[in-house]
Amino acid sequence: MKKLWIALTAAFAAFSASPATSQEKLVVSVWGGNWKDGAAIIGKEFTKRTGMEVEYITGGTLDRLTKAKVARNNPESDVTYTTSHVGYLYQNDGLFEKLDKSKLTNFNDLYSSADRGDYEVGVYSYIYSPVFRTDLMPKGFRIGSWSDLWSPEVKGRLSMPDFDPSHIIIAASKLSSSTPEDWKNGIPLLLKLKPSIKAFYQSDATSQDLFKNGETPVEVMLSINAYHLIGQGVPATIEIPKEGAVVGIGALGINKGTKKLDAAQQFIDIALDPVVQQQICDFHKCSPMNKKTTVSPELAKLPGIFTTEEQWKTQAIVLPDSTYSKLLPIWKAWFTEEMMH
């Protein structure tokens, strides 16, 4: 009896000391706020199918990249949710596992823009495009082209992000009959825009505040933020210029060194499931990546919600992630020096 008691005590001690709880959780790195809530849509279905709980660690885009570099030999997350061009920096630094696309049962149903290479896959897309207050701009004001941001009506009324000037730089290069790679051809046009700019915003919250209080009734804005404001009753119109809107892609990658590789693959596959895609897009007001996703007529009619190959061809400006990640630091340095001072 004494031997049995000793054996049971030892077994209980071993069980108590084992990291069972952490082993049973898939850890996902994601932004906070509604972005975490969007990821939780995937997590809920993942837990339903696998029984494994999902834990989320949150932070800013570049803060999380820096943390991942520091913890490269012992990653604190199994899956990373980020923008695809930042995901390129993860893979370039050896921080992502190569995806086994044969295990992604939904991969063949995706739009081509979802394929971000061997190490990450796009889950949804959004746009940055001109948005304006219909109650504060002259009657009949429209933005049919990016060039309308240079019009007299916009002077002293425009805001745009300071953390990512790529959208306006890409637009200026197109208006200058050039390419983003030859962006310097658009510099004269960019400098002519300075009188139109009243403010630069540092976050989604600042962006929405400037627009909501009317301080900057024209803004280069994230479509998801625009639809959030419209849902709050702000009289706003988002336009797709004839040159196209600049697309961003929310993507998933698997952290190098994860001990839950199969579970991480399954999480990504579930994220691409057409039913889960529908829920994500209804929540964020974004575009699905799975062609088989059922998009409601109300959502499909919104600018920047792409549901056909034709829309992707004619309305979307999509840069290769390698180009985007290489040029963004250069663009930001130039923009800070020449446009913000």
Side-chain angles (χ1 to χ4, degrees):
M1 184 71 182
K2 186 177 180 183
K3 287 181 180 179
L4 177 62
W5 173 250
I6 293 171
L8 287 171
T9 302
F12 179 75
F15 177 80
S16 300
S18 69
T21 305
S22 63
Q23 289 299 318
E24 291 169 1
K25 286 183 180 177
L26 186 76
V27 181
V28 176
S29 170
V30 66
W31 308 275
N34 65 325
W35 305 106
K36 177 185 171 185
D37 296 338
I41 292 171
I42 307 166
K44 183 179 179 182
E45 183 63 23
F46 173 83
T47 300
K48 181 180 172 183
R49 295 190 194 182
T50 66
M52 183 182 286
E53 295 294 324
V54 180
E55 180 182 326
Y56 304 93
I57 54 173
T58 60
T61 303
L62 297 180
D63 292 341
R64 291 188 291 126
L65 173 59
T66 301
K67 275 188 173 183
K69 288 179 181 179
V70 172
R72 67 170 62 245
N73 296 321
N74 186 26
E76 62 177 355
S77 62
D78 304 296
V79 176
T80 294
Y81 215 150
T82 188
T83 52
S84 62
H85 62 278
V86 174
Y88 182 83
L89 298 176
Y90 277 83
Q91 58 177 288
N92 229 24
D93 238 316
L95 300 173
F96 275 172
E97 293 276 358
K98 191 171 183 179
L99 294 175
D100 184 352
K101 292 178 182 176
S102 68
K103 292 182 179 179
L104 298 179
T105 61
N106 295 292
F107 190 81
N108 291 333
D109 297 326
L110 305 181
Y111 290 107
S112 59
S113 294
D115 187 353
R116 310 315 296 176
D118 292 337
Y119 295 87
E120 56 178 333
V121 64
V123 178
Y124 63 86
S125 75
Y126 54 87
I127 61 169
Y128 269 88
S129 204
V131 182
F132 65 92
R133 287 277 297 262
T134 51
D135 59 332
L136 297 178
M137 293 302 288
K139 188 175 180 181
F141 177 79
R142 295 295 304 273
I143 301 179
S145 164
W146 282 94
S147 63
D148 291 325
L149 294 181
W150 279 257
S151 68
E153 295 93 335
V154 178
K155 189 174 180 180
R157 296 180 165 191
L158 176 65
S159 64
M160 60 185 64
D162 67 355
F163 53 85
D164 185 353
S166 60
H167 325 104
I168 198 65
I169 291 176
I170 291 168
S173 68
K174 281 195 163 283
L175 292 172
S176 303
S177 301
S178 192
T179 64
E181 289 83 354
D182 295 319
W183 65 279
K184 288 184 179 179
N185 293 332
I187 286 178
L189 196 57
L190 286 165
L191 294 175
K192 288 179 182 176
L193 187 63
K194 289 180 78 169
S196 296
I197 303 170
K198 183 173 185 181
F200 299 97
Y201 59 82
Q202 303 79 35
S203 66
D204 289 345
T206 313
S207 161
Q208 293 180 39
D209 286 344
L210 284 168
F211 194 77
K212 195 188 295 186
N213 66 28
E215 188 175 343
T216 57
V218 184
E219 194 170 292
V220 178
M221 185 186 287
L222 172 63
S223 55
I224 292 171
N225 288 340
Y227 292 128
H228 175 70
L229 290 171
I230 291 169
Q232 291 185 328
V234 178
T237 294
I238 181 169
E239 302 265 30
I240 302 286
K242 64 182 181 181
E243 299 84 11
V246 180
V247 169
I249 293 172
L252 286 171
I254 299 173
N255 291 78
K256 186 85 171 176
T258 175
K259 295 178 176 61
K260 308 184 190 77
L261 185 59
D262 288 341
Q265 286 269 168
Q266 192 166 357
F267 183 89
I268 293 177
D269 195 39
I270 289 170
L272 303 174
D273 181 283
V275 175
V276 176
Q277 288 267 295
Q278 179 184 10
Q279 293 172 10
I280 293 170
C281 292
D282 284 344
F283 180 78
H284 281 310
K285 301 290 186 292
C286 59
S287 298
M289 285 303 190
N290 192 319
K291 298 175 188 176
K292 293 184 176 180
T293 304
T294 301
V295 177
S296 70
E298 294 77 21
L299 183 59
K301 71 182 180 183
L302 298 178
I305 305 299
F306 305 136
T307 58
T308 67
E309 294 281 9
E310 181 64 19
Q311 286 175 308
W312 277 103
K313 286 178 186 174
T314 59
Q315 299 179 23
I317 302 172
V318 185
L319 259 62
D321 293 324
S322 55
T323 301
Y324 213 137
S325 61
K326 176 185 173 183
L327 289 176
L328 186 54
I330 298 169
W331 287 341
K332 189 173 179 183
W334 178 88
F335 194 83
T336 301
E337 183 65 30
E338 301 295 336
M339 297 292 288
M340 295 178 65
H341 292 116

